[in-house]
Structures are given as structure tokens and as C-alpha cells.
Amino acid sequence: MTIEARNLSFRYGDKPVLREVSFALTSGGFHALLGPNGAGKSTLFGLLTRLLALQQGDILMAGQSLKKQPADAMRQIGVVFQQNALDLDLTVRQNLLYHAALHGLSRKEARVRGDRELARFQLLERANEPVRKLNGGHRRRVEIARALLHEPSLLLLDEPTVGLDVASRRGLNDHVRRLCESDGLTVLWATHLIEEVRPEDRVLILHEGKLLADGAGHAICEAEGTRDLAETFHTLTGAG
Amino acid sequence: MKAAHYWHCFIGIQTREWLRFWQQRTRFASALVRPLLWLVVFAAGFRAVLGISIIPPYETYITYETYIAPGLCGMIILFNSMQGALSMVYDRELGSMRVLLMSPLPRPFLLVTKLLSMGVVSVGQVYVFLLLALLVDVEPPLWGYLAVLPALVLTSLMLGALGLLIATWIKQLENFAGVMNFVIFPMFFMSSALYPLWRMNEASPWLYWICQFNPFTHAVEAIRFSLYLEWNPMAYGITTGVAIVLALLATAGFRPQRTKILGGKPA
């Protein structure tokens, strides 16, 4: 599915947070949205998920405007939020069933799909445990499994590795990349951690609400005359 | 979207609310302590001071406990609705609200369903309260327990929508203490929950009119009359009308960016 953002601008009161951001995501690709804290990544996610109302510009999903056809667009999106959005006291399966119901799936269908996703994430044997008993990495996996239940074509992940240790971070990142290859999923992975991005990835660098770079990681480095993405990121944003 | 999608969604939201209720049953049980204290302690003290004449829907002299029981049913719903609405936009329910709002179904449907599901849990608590009230001889007719159900659900929807409207639009009332002082207490005390309005009229006509304009008064009267198998079209009509208007306003006017659902500070 093609996703296109056109001229997105957003302000909180007088404060501009996004300024004329435009980009198009390639169907079936892994895209890294890189930006320091406060760059506007979460605001952009808010607009993509309709938690924030568009003020200026439009978002097109498979050619459909998010403004005009919100239901069609929402069916295509799976989201993993930065903050935990699981019910810690409910079991893994109960959390999945709740999400599936919100997408209009019957309980029977939801169970089948839920078990399939959990099996893929090696979490099936923990289906009946309360989420509270799971470690941070596993909770994140449950959130991804949940986001895929309604078989979306776009997966949005807003800094999904926040609070995880290095090994879990790497595991999660690899996992999503594999999904991208196996399912043909379009992924937008927001992060401020440069080590989660590979040179061959399509990279969007956001800083102070402006899109400063958009292209393959190595191509951006070449254009900027830098050795690697870390240096590019530092040159463009002045951040770490 | 087909009707079946809406149905699965409706059932899913209800189920989750009951699962959470079961998980937090001690918290819900403690919420019954407040109305029970009013019923047992406050009413015992007040019955000595207050004489209640025969007023509809009652056919005979009644105890003060009998009089305030419907008002306390309203109180349970009032507290739960306000607490529930605040948790939807400010704390405990934020995660589940994010998930809720990602549904492709229309937001007004999702929010009304959510309010109704919280309301159904409140109604469950009201029934437990009414059962306990039998111990102090509050004994409405058996069919009254069934007849009161629509009034309880309507009251839950009305107050839940009011709570959501307030929590979304009035930043100053983002904590429960604020809501308690500026919404719950005025609504409760300036209603017919604790005293019949004719007595209020004797004390102060302008207070009487404030009580008359308070939709909570009519919700309490709808509960009171239906509990005693009497039909009160005005109370029912006003409660239904206000519930519909508030539900429309709260859901159509809902803006996630005015809440903490997105994370961070509300705009």
C-alpha cells in the first residue's frame, strides 16, 4: 500500500511542531523516521493515526484521503504506541481479543488469528498469563502481534524500543524487519537511536518539525559527504 | 462496515469492562461503602430531624432510608461516571483509549459504547446496593428491580457523557477533587436525592428552581418512580433528552488532542 503525506503542518497553539512535511512511503519497505526528542515524530504519528486532527495538508493511504475516508484508512493501519497500551491485569489473549473486537472480528476468528500471531512471536504458551507477568520485550511483542491481528498493510511503531535493554531492542528491530520481508508489510519505525537504522534503510530525518532528509541511508550520507548515519544525523540536527 | 462488525465491537468493549471489573472487584466493592454509610448512618441521624409526608410514588409514610435509597443509587452512578470519564482521558484508561480510537468504526459509536459499558458496571453496583438496602428495610416491589433498569442505564449514559464532556473541555477539572467539588457535590446536594423538593421550596424558592433545572434531580426521580412501578413521564423525558444531547455533544466534540491519550500534555 502506498502512503503519502502532503504538506503536513501542525501547531500546538502558536507553536509550530510540523512544517510542510511531505513524503511517500514505499509499499513493503522498512522506513526509519529518525529525529531527536521533540522533533515532531509523535505529532506525525498522531496525525497518521487520527489521534490528532489534520490542520493543514493531507495523508493519502492507497490513494484514499485520511480526511475523507478515515474508516478505510484505519483498517489498513496497525499501531504500536510509544507508551504501553496493554491492559496489564488482563491476559495476553484477552488483550488481543479486545483489539480484534474493535476491528469487528468475531471471537472465533479473533482466537484463530490471535493464536497464529502469538505462535509466530513464540508467545503462544503465555497466552493465558496476565501481561503484567511479561518482561518489557515480550510486552512489546504482544503489542506488535496485536497490531497485526486485523492484517494491516502499514505498521507504525513510535519509538517501540524505549525502556528495553540492548538485546531486546535488537531482537525487536530484527523481528519487525523479518515481518516486512515475509508479509510485505510497509513499516514506519520512529526512533532517536541511530543504531536501530541500517545504511540500506529508507531514512526520513525530522528535526524541529522539518523533514531534513529523505532517502536511502547511504545515499543521504553520500549527499552530505559524511562517513555514516551517525555523523549525518549529528551534522543535520546537532544531536548525538 | 456491517452490522456484525458493530456487534462484535460492542460485545468486545462490554467484555473488557467486565473483565476489568472482575480484576478490580475490591475497588468496586469499596465504592459501595460511601452510599452504604449514607444509608445507614446519615439516614439514621436525619430521620429524627426530617418528617416525610406522603408523596408520590409512595402510598404511605416512609422511612428516610426508603426516601434516599433512589438518590443514593444516583450517587453511585454519579461518582462512577465522573471517575470513569476522567480515567478515560487522564489516567488509568489511556492505553485502552488509544487502542479504542484505532478502531475503524465511527468514534461516536465507540465512545457511546464505552460509556454504556462503564454504565453497565455501575448498574451492577446499584443492584448490589439495593440488595444490601433490604437490610434496613428498603423494600421496593419485586418488579421494581426490573422496571428501574432503563432509568439506571439512562442515568449512566447521561452522567458518563457529562463526565466525558467536562474532562475533555475543562482543563481545570482534570483531577477528581476538582470534579467532586464543582460537579458531584453541587449536582448531588442541589437535587431531590436527599430531600423532597417541596421542602426545598419552603426553605428557599430559588434553590428549589436550581434543583428543578438540575438534570440529576430528574434522573433520581426517574429511578425513584420506576423502582416503585410508577410512571413519571417528565422525569423520564428530561433524563432521556439530556442523555441524548450530552452524548451527542461529548462524542461529536471529542478531541483526543485535548486529552492525554496521545501522550504528554494535553494541548
Side-chain angles (χ1 to χ4, degrees):
Chain A
M1 186 180 70
T2 54
I3 293 101
E4 198 184 337
R6 283 188 189 161
N7 255 333
L8 296 180
S9 292
F10 193 89
R11 47 177 65 237
Y12 287 111
D14 292 336
K15 193 181 158 211
V17 191
L18 288 179
R19 305 158 202 241
E20 297 185 351
V21 172
S22 295
F23 59 84
L25 303 186
T26 321
S27 185
F30 183 97
H31 305 76
L33 175 64
L34 201 55
N37 290 328
K41 301 189 295 295
S42 289
T43 301
L44 181 59
F45 268 67
L47 293 174
L48 287 166
T49 53
R50 285 182 70 237
L51 284 179
L52 291 175
L54 286 163
Q55 290 175 346
Q56 194 192 308
D58 201 356
I59 295 167
L60 303 174
M61 304 217 176
Q64 303 264 34
S65 161
L66 194 62
K67 270 185 192 164
K68 291 174 192 153
Q69 305 283 350
D72 288 340
M74 296 314 285
R75 261 198 296 272
Q76 299 294 331
I77 303 178
V79 192
V80 177
F81 294 99
Q82 193 174 349
Q83 297 96 337
N84 166 60
L86 292 166
D87 262 314
L88 299 183
D89 294 323
L90 301 190
T91 67
V92 171
R93 185 173 277 127
Q94 285 166 344
N95 269 283
L96 264 50
L97 290 178
Y98 174 56
H99 172 92
L102 291 174
H103 282 262
L105 295 176
S106 72
R107 215 175 152 77
K108 200 174 148 196
E109 175 79 16
R111 252 190 110 91
V112 173
R113 288 198 197 182
D115 284 2
R116 185 185 66 204
E117 288 302 328
L118 289 177
R120 255 193 339 161
F121 285 72
Q122 284 102 44
L123 283 167
L124 189 55
E125 67 281 5
R126 309 197 69 175
N128 294 318
E129 284 183 36
V131 172
R132 197 177 289 285
K133 284 193 178 169
L134 269 52
N135 66 31
H138 283 153
R139 286 183 194 180
R140 279 304 185 184
R141 280 170 183 243
V142 172
E143 291 205 79
I144 297 174
R146 179 177 65 177
L148 296 176
L149 268 186
H150 59 285
E151 299 174 345
S153 19
L154 170 66
L155 181 61
L156 301 171
L157 303 105
D158 187 7
E159 306 210 15
T161 55
V162 164
L164 300 185
D165 58 51
V166 179
S168 305
R169 278 212 307 256
R170 194 172 301 137
L172 201 69
N173 191 280
D174 289 345
H175 190 86
V176 171
R177 286 170 185 281
R178 278 198 296 276
L179 286 174
C180 221
E181 285 163 19
S182 62
D183 296 15
L185 206 59
T186 309
V187 170
L188 184 61
W189 175 290
T191 183
H192 62 274
L193 301 170
I194 206 88
E195 62 269 26
E196 293 180 353
V197 187
R198 294 180 188 167
E200 66 274 20
D201 287 339
R202 169 85 181 282
V203 181
L204 300 113
I205 299 180
L206 194 64
H207 181 51
E208 292 177 347
K210 279 188 188 162
L211 197 61
L212 299 184
D214 177 5
H218 49 71
I220 295 175
C221 294
E222 228 173 88
E224 293 294 325
T226 49
R227 280 167 300 167
D228 53 25
L229 268 174
E231 196 184 335
T232 312
F233 189 54
H234 181 72
T235 312
L236 288 174
T237 67
Chain B
M1 279 283 170
K2 294 179 194 150
H5 293 147
Y6 286 87
W7 174 246
H8 293 314
C9 179
F10 182 83
I11 293 296
I13 294 174
Q14 294 285 339
T15 308
R16 177 186 168 276
E17 212 61 39
W18 281 102
L19 286 171
R20 273 179 57 83
F21 167 76
W22 188 245
Q23 292 293 339
Q24 304 179 352
R25 50 196 180 276
T26 48
R27 192 163 69 83
F28 284 90
S30 67
L32 280 176
V33 171
R34 188 184 307 116
L36 284 172
L37 271 176
W38 279 79
L39 186 68
V40 177
V41 182
F42 178 84
F46 250 58
R47 73 196 300 183
V49 189
L50 211 79
I52 304 258
S53 63
I54 299 174
I55 48 163
Y58 310 107
E59 290 165 350
T60 167
Y61 284 103
I62 50 161
T63 62
Y64 187 57
E65 284 87 341
T66 302
Y67 180 80
I68 66 166
L72 296 178
C73 295
M75 179 205 235
I76 293 172
I77 299 175
L78 182 61
F79 269 89
N80 280 358
S81 303
M82 294 299 149
Q83 216 154 20
L86 280 184
S87 72
M88 275 168 77
V89 301
Y90 287 113
D91 53 49
R92 274 193 301 274
E93 291 283 275
L94 285 181
S96 100
M97 284 299 287
R98 272 180 219 125
V99 179
L100 183 85
L101 294 174
M102 288 304 104
S103 165
L105 293 167
R107 270 188 196 161
F109 168 79
L110 296 168
L111 293 168
V112 167
T113 306
K114 172 80 182 161
L115 291 176
L116 278 175
S117 68
M118 296 193 310
V120 170
V121 172
S122 296
V123 170
Q125 283 176 275
V126 167
Y127 277 108
V128 174
F129 168 76
L130 285 173
L131 282 180
L132 292 170
L134 285 170
L135 300 174
V136 288
D137 300 325
V138 177
E139 295 171 334
L142 201 56
W143 285 108
Y145 289 100
L146 187 64
V148 77
L149 183 62
L152 295 175
V153 173
L154 271 175
T155 305
S156 303
L157 181 62
M158 177 179 93
L159 296 174
L162 176 69
L164 185 60
L165 202 61
I166 289 171
T168 313
W169 292 99
I170 308 180
K171 266 190 214 169
Q172 289 78 359
L173 293 183
E174 70 175 66
N175 61 59
F176 194 64
V179 171
M180 203 143 84
N181 287 331
F182 291 99
V183 182
I184 294 180
F185 284 157
M187 269 193 117
F188 183 65
F189 289 121
M190 285 190 268
S191 77
S192 61
L194 296 179
Y195 12 75
L197 289 194
W198 67 267
R199 290 204 70 117
M200 190 59 110
N201 200 14
E202 278 179 353
S204 156
W206 64 268
L207 259 179
Y208 166 80
W209 281 108
I210 290 178
C211 296
Q212 279 290 9
F213 277 103
N214 179 0
F216 187 69
T217 293
H218 301 283
V220 169
E221 290 312 301
I223 294 171
R224 187 190 310 284
F225 275 72
S226 42
L227 192 58
Y228 287 87
L229 298 173
E230 293 279 338
W231 174 235
N232 185 336
M234 187 173 91
Y236 246 101
I238 292 177
T239 310
T240 311
V242 175
I244 291 172
V245 170
L246 288 178
L248 284 175
L249 286 175
T251 57
F254 184 72
R255 300 282 181 273
Q257 62 258 45
R258 294 194 63 90
T259 70
K260 288 188 178 170
I261 290 170
L262 190 63
K265 287 184 186 146

